[in-house]
Each structure stands twice: as structure tokens, then as C-alpha cells.
Amino acid sequence: MKNYLIHPYIFGLYPLFFLVSNNISQLTYSSKFEIIILLFLIILFVYLLNFLFNLFFKDKEKSYLLSVFFIFLFYLVGHKNGLLPALILFLLFFYFIRKIQKNFKIAHKILTIMALVLIIMPIFSITLHLISYSEKNSLNELNLKSSNYQALKEKKFRDIYYLIMDGYTGSFALKEHLDFDNLNFINFLKSKNFHVAEKSQTNYNFTNFSIPSTLNMQYLSDINLDNYPNNPELIKKVEELMKKNLVKKYLDNYQYKYIMVPSRVSTNWVPDNLDFVWKDSPDNYIAGDFINLFINQTILSTTNLFKKNYLNNRRDEILRQFNFLEEGVHKIQGPKFVFAHILSPHPPYVFKENGELADTDSSDEKWEFPNEYLNQIKFINIRLEEIIEKIIKNSDIEPIIILQGDHGAILFGTEPNKKNIEMSTNILNAILLPEMNKEFLSNKISPVNTFRLIFKKYFNIEINLLKDKVFYYD
């Protein structure tokens, strides 16, 4: 095959490389398998197109030109209304290629140059990310000293559960802007002696800033967070803050087992020297997040061929996480720190109110269905009540349980008006703190102070609470 006829493969692969470079901060362990699968399938797809058209035309130059046109339509048509026009365009181009008697060498050379120029940009971005290095943790090393360290080491420590419900808005904003009263769940938590900070706000309205800030007990003021998704060094730095967070570091001093129950998007946060990590193994990667993202950029998005599989996979993952927290984690002998990241009520909205699989148009970045969002809350409330009951029942001594949203819902856009700011920053923040006088706890305490409070009370560490602040990114 002539060198200038490689462009159908490059045009076929360009959208994949573009998606990888634009979403590199969100890629997980499973995403990498999905990308390899897509790479293979795209090459095979283009090869078959070339082969089939060449069977008809007996002319590689015409066949490859038709393949390129088909590839353009494959990626450009994203709505059912575009199917008929796309078919008409393809048939007209097919007829034109068949009838014209002309040498297409110059056209192919131009297309090859265009393809190479296009794909250089995402490859450069990906390469920059891969070769970049992560600087040493630039946050302040907190000088945490216990007033009676030796005595503490001899006592029996409480298990600590840090349960993140991704995108769970607080009861204040739910009532104010969605007219939804979460009182039954809040009353349940209070009946179990949780302190519920109903006007608590996240410190950052973005998961990858919010959770690192909480687990390092300080604001990320020493890190320039601007242009995060396009900054490979910063992406790696934030991952390092998660893997080597200060909470883990200080709990290691007391022989705590660090247990992670990650979602599919937080597997990159798993520390290297972990005591236990719950790993979900989906039945197939074809229902994975990255493949779903890729399909949504193609003509395949006009069908429901993959959508139900994808939604069901997401739903099953969350259910398996809940089941492990309810039935499995207590079997690991303590003291233990359990960090669970649950991708709900964050979209896609996979649950009906009763927990059955929902039929939804929502996606990772498409929040704007308030009733479906509330259905997630109604269902996960039921499961959280069951899990909390079981955790308390199976604990030798009453545990510390932190139940938080990392940020709120983004149902009405990101424009920084009062409604959007309150919806996306007011969070569920409920903490079970045994034997602590709750009269001194603030109704507005923010996540950055969660572990400062715990270390101060239960480990006699000399540490002060920070002023509660919110950093809003639109």
C-alpha cells in the first residue's frame, strides 16, 4: 500500500486520541483497557471498510477516498435526524466516485498531510502527560503531635468510615431550590447520634480538589489549580495528594488498616502500600465509561445498542459497593480506615426511586434532570440507612462515620449565580462522633476540618480548625 494511503487509519484514530488527550485527567485503570480495545477495533473497522470498498471498485485510491468520507459521517452524525441526510450524502458521493475517471493521488496526499497535522496535537498532549513528573507533595507537612502518644498506642481505636456520596447536595439547598424535604433521612441520622451540618459547604465544587483537600486537612493554596484538565504535571500532583494523603500517613502511626472502596473513576487514588482494596470486576469493558464516551461521539449514539449495558454496569458497581460496605468490610479486623467513593447521586442517573434500572438521557456531564437526581437520593438513602445500621451493629466499639458529598448537584448550569452556587456547594455532611459534645459543633463545618476535628478529639493531637472557605469553579 502506498504511504499516502495511510490517512483513513489516521482519520479513524484521531477522535480516539482527541478524547484521550481531552479527558486524560479522568482516565482510570479500566479506561486504559478500553482504549486498547477501541484502538484495535478502529484499525479493524477501517481495514474492513477499505477491503469491502476495494472489492467493489477494484481501485484502492477510490476505495480509500470513500472510506474517509464514510469515517467523517461516522463521527459527525450524532442524532437520529441526521441518519437520512448522511445516507443520501454517502450514496451521492459513492455515485460520484464510481463515475469519475480521475487520478486521486494529489487528493490523497493532501488528506494524508491534513491527517498527520490533526493527530500530532493530541499525541503531543498525551506524550507530555506521560513524560511529565510529579513534584513532591507541595502542601504543608502538618506538625501533628499527640500529648500522650504512648498511652494512645495501647488503647483500642475506633474504626473510621469515610463515605463519599459523589454530588450529594445538602438538605438546605434541596429544600430551597428543588422543594425536596430530606427530613426523614436527616432524622434517621440524628437518631443514630450523627451531627448533621445542614448548611455545610464543600471547600471546592470539584471532586479532584475537594477530596484531596479533605484528606490532607488543608486548602490547596500552595497549588495553582487553574487549567487543571490540561496540565499533566498538576494532574499527577493531585493524584499523589490522594495516594499519599496526610490522613493515611498519620493513621499509619496507629497501625490503622487503610481500606479503599473506589469507584471506577477513583482507582487512580489507590495508594501503593494499601492494606485492602475492593476491586470491582465488570463482566465486560464494552460497557465501560470511556467506550461509552467514545460511542457518544459517533453515529452509534443514535441507537440504544450500548446504552442499557452501560447504565446497568454503572448501577451494578454502586450496588456491589453498597453490599461490600454492608456485608463484607466488617470482616476485616481493625482498627481500620474505610474510604468509599460512591458515584451516586452523580449522573448518569441509573436508579429509579425503588432501585430498579432507570432509562435516562443523563450522562457523566449531563446533570439537568432534577426528578431523576432526586430518585437517586431517595434510593441511596434507603441503602445508606441499612449500611449504617449494619456498620454500627458489627462494630466492637462505636465507630466514627463520616457521610459527605464531595460537592453538590450541577442541575442548572455553572454560571455563578446564587442558585447554582448553593446547589453545587451545599453538601450532605453528617458525622458520627461518639462521646463528643455536639453542642460545640458548627452547623456550617466544612470537609477541610473533618479530620482536624477527629484527630483533635480522639488522638489528642494539637491541631486547630481552619476558617471554612468555599472555592467555586465554573
Side-chain angles (χ1 to χ4, degrees), residues 355-412:
E356 292 180 357
L357 180 65
D359 183 17
T360 178
D361 289 324
S362 64
S363 66
D364 282 316
E365 302 301 328
K366 196 173 181 182
W367 290 72
E368 60 267 24
F369 304 98
N371 289 334
E372 293 183 21
Y373 174 78
L374 292 176
N375 282 341
Q376 312 313 294
I377 286 182
K378 291 173 186 176
F379 175 69
I380 66 174
N381 283 354
I382 295 170
R383 290 298 288 122
L384 286 172
E385 289 185 16
E386 295 167 344
I387 289 165
I388 288 167
E389 293 270 19
K390 191 63 71 75
I391 287 174
I392 293 173
K393 178 182 177 182
N394 289 323
S395 299
D396 294 335
I397 55 175
E398 193 173 15
I400 297 166
I401 304 176
I402 303 144
L403 186 61
Q404 286 179 351
D406 54 342
H407 56 78
I410 312 168
L411 296 172
F412 309 107

Side-chain angles (χ1 to χ4, degrees), residues 315-333:
R315 174 181 175 273
D316 285 349
E317 177 193 87
I318 295 167
L319 292 177
R320 285 192 287 266
Q321 286 178 296
F322 282 153
N323 288 340
F324 176 72
L325 290 172
E326 184 178 18
E327 303 293 344
V329 73
H330 71 272
K331 297 175 183 177
I332 302 171
Q333 296 301 306

Side-chain angles (χ1 to χ4, degrees), residues 117-136:
V117 170
L118 267 179
I119 207 163
I120 280 172
M121 291 181 284
I123 287 179
F124 177 77
S125 176
I126 294 166
T127 304
L128 188 64
H129 175 81
L130 292 176
I131 65 175
S132 66
Y133 64 94
S134 179
E135 298 176 9
K136 185 181 177 182

Side-chain angles (χ1 to χ4, degrees), residues 270-301:
V270 176
D272 297 326
N273 56 334
L274 201 62
D275 295 291
F276 181 89
V277 58
W278 175 86
K279 289 186 178 179
D280 189 29
S281 300
D283 293 331
N284 67 77
Y285 284 113
I286 303 304
D289 283 9
F290 193 86
I291 286 182
N292 183 70
L293 178 66
F294 178 81
I295 287 170
N296 286 337
Q297 315 302 316
T298 73
I299 200 170
L300 297 175
S301 64

Side-chain angles (χ1 to χ4, degrees), residues 22-69:
N22 271 27
N23 296 275
I24 203 156
S25 64
Q26 305 297 323
L27 295 185
T28 63
Y29 182 77
S30 63
S31 298
K32 293 162 190 174
F33 283 96
E34 295 169 43
I35 291 165
I36 292 170
I37 291 170
L38 284 170
L39 193 69
F40 172 78
L41 290 177
I42 291 168
I43 292 171
L44 180 62
F45 172 65
V46 176
Y47 174 81
L48 290 175
L49 279 180
N50 293 335
F51 178 76
L52 292 173
F53 291 145
N54 195 46
L55 281 180
F56 184 84
F57 287 115
K58 308 297 183 185
D59 184 328
K60 283 188 176 181
E61 290 187 353
K62 286 187 175 184
S63 303
Y64 282 42
L65 206 59
L66 192 61
S67 292
V68 169
F69 190 73

Side-chain angles (χ1 to χ4, degrees), residues 2 4 12 34 41 48-49 52 71 74 87 94 123 133 230 239 252 258 295 390 404 419:
K2 303 283 178 53
Y4 61 78
E34 295 169 43
L41 290 177
L48 290 175
L49 279 180
L52 292 173
I71 289 165
F74 181 79
L87 178 60
F94 184 92
I123 287 179
Y133 64 94
N230 301 314
E239 286 182 6
D252 282 346
Y258 192 94
I295 287 170
K390 191 63 71 75
Q404 286 179 351
K419 184 177 186 178

Side-chain angles (χ1 to χ4, degrees), residues 54-192:
N54 195 46
L55 281 180
F56 184 84
F57 287 115
K58 308 297 183 185
D59 184 328
K60 283 188 176 181
E61 290 187 353
K62 286 187 175 184
S63 303
Y64 282 42
L65 206 59
L66 192 61
S67 292
V68 169
F69 190 73
F70 187 92
I71 289 165
F72 285 159
L73 293 177
F74 181 79
Y75 287 118
L76 288 174
V77 178
H79 194 278
K80 288 181 180 179
N81 293 339
L83 289 175
L84 183 58
L87 178 60
I88 293 171
L89 281 174
F90 177 75
L91 292 175
L92 287 173
F93 193 75
F94 184 92
Y95 179 79
F96 169 77
I97 292 292
R98 182 182 179 187
K99 289 295 183 183
I100 196 168
Q101 299 298 321
K102 191 173 181 180
N103 188 311
F104 292 103
K105 286 184 179 180
I106 294 177
H108 281 296
K109 287 180 179 178
I110 292 171
L111 286 171
T112 300
I113 293 170
M114 289 173 58
L116 289 171
V117 170
L118 267 179
I119 207 163
I120 280 172
M121 291 181 284
I123 287 179
F124 177 77
S125 176
I126 294 166
T127 304
L128 188 64
H129 175 81
L130 292 176
I131 65 175
S132 66
Y133 64 94
S134 179
E135 298 176 9
K136 185 181 177 182
N137 188 334
S138 60
L139 291 182
N140 296 323
E141 284 287 328
L142 301 180
N143 186 22
L144 301 188
K145 294 181 179 179
S146 174
S147 57
N148 55 347
Y149 176 76
Q150 289 302 325
L152 277 170
K153 289 194 74 171
E154 296 172 4
K155 69 176 283 189
K156 189 169 185 180
F157 290 104
R158 300 176 188 273
D159 290 340
I160 303 173
Y161 290 83
Y162 177 49
L163 312 180
I164 290 292
M165 303 293 115
D166 202 305
Y168 198 129
T169 293
S171 58
F172 170 78
L174 289 175
K175 182 64 177 175
E176 183 77 10
H177 300 296
L178 296 181
D179 195 29
F180 176 75
D181 195 339
N182 208 18
L183 186 61
N184 287 341
F185 184 56
I186 300 303
N187 284 342
F188 164 80
L189 293 173
K190 289 180 177 178
S191 74
K192 298 299 176 182

